[in-house]
Amino acid sequence: GKIPCNKEGLKTLWSNIFDMVTLNDPRGIARYQDANGPTNIVVVANNDDDHSLLKFELKEDSVYTYPERLKTGMMPLWAVDVDGNGDVFVTTQGDSTIPAQVLIFGNPTIESGWQSGTHESANGPLFAITLPEPGTARGIAVNSEATVIYVSNYMTKKIYCYVGDLQNGYTLYDGFNFQM
């Protein structure tokens, strides 16, 4: 059904039957797409206790909970993007002493945790990319083929470019240099 609010009306809930997660400091949203192209589903990087990736469906009359979510672990999330196959790329927050990371989770055909009762990833992220410097990764963009990833570092005012693929992993591309 439609997304309910708690009794105070201040918190939005993601809910599916008896499974509920309160939206808590959600910092990123991306339009979900799959092999057939863009959909009317969005993915939200939520900072509940499990730091979940939550899906919502946009319909003509409202926003509805979509029955897929995935717990990412213990690190606060910030930005999120989706490649052309529905794989989800999300950044962890990082800080002045700890570099942020990019966590890459497979689409529901690869990662059963999206639809399982526990919503836990069977093997964790497909890849975890640690940024080369401490700071908060507040933005991410991935191309449709998942061969190029751009990640911003708010503290250093840099954008990093990673190249690779989901079969072999990613490396920092030295041919790209952007700093504000």
Side-chain angles (χ1 to χ4, degrees):
K2 289 184 182 179
I3 297 173
C5 291
N6 70 357
K7 62 184 174 185
E8 294 88 19
L10 301 175
K11 297 279 185 175
T12 301
L13 295 176
W14 176 97
S15 65
N16 182 36
I17 307 173
F18 298 112
D19 188 14
M20 290 189 213
V21 176
T22 301
L23 263 72
N24 182 32
D25 198 19
R27 295 187 178 166
I29 187 169
R31 187 173 184 183
Y32 190 77
Q33 55 185 338
D34 57 27
N36 297 318
T39 67
N40 62 337
I41 297 168
V42 296
V43 179
V44 175
N46 190 42
N47 285 299
D48 57 279
D49 290 342
D50 296 314
H51 303 285
S52 299
L53 295 168
L54 307 174
K55 290 186 181 179
F56 295 92
E57 187 172 10
L58 308 173
K59 294 186 178 180
E60 288 184 25
D61 63 337
S62 190
V63 177
Y64 293 81
T65 297
Y66 191 79
E68 292 180 351
R69 74 176 175 101
L70 188 66
K71 298 175 184 179
T72 67
M74 300 306 298
M75 295 182 280
L77 305 177
W78 198 284
V80 63
D81 201 9
V82 180
D83 72 11
N85 287 320
D87 303 304
V88 178
F89 296 66
V90 63
T91 65
T92 63
Q93 185 171 316
D95 61 29
S96 62
T97 61
I98 299 171
Q101 289 186 310
V102 175
L103 304 177
I104 304 168
F105 293 94
N107 63 56
T109 61
I110 296 170
E111 174 55 68
S112 62
W114 284 104
Q115 300 162 341
S116 74
T118 63
H119 299 287
E120 293 177 358
S121 174
N123 301 308
L126 297 173
F127 293 99
I129 303 167
T130 302
L131 298 189
E133 301 169 286
T136 57
R138 296 190 183 181
I140 188 167
V142 59
N143 68 345
S144 183
E145 296 80 21
T147 56
V148 181
I149 305 168
Y150 294 96
V151 185
S152 68
N153 185 329
Y154 179 77
M155 290 182 175
T156 63
K157 307 295 186 228
K158 291 181 180 178
I159 297 176
Y160 309 107
C161 178
Y162 290 88
V163 295
D165 58 48
L166 290 170
Q167 287 73 41
N168 302 301
Y170 294 88
T171 57
L172 185 62
Y173 176 55
D174 292 331
F176 179 84
N177 184 9
F178 180 87
Q179 183 168 3
M180 283 186 62

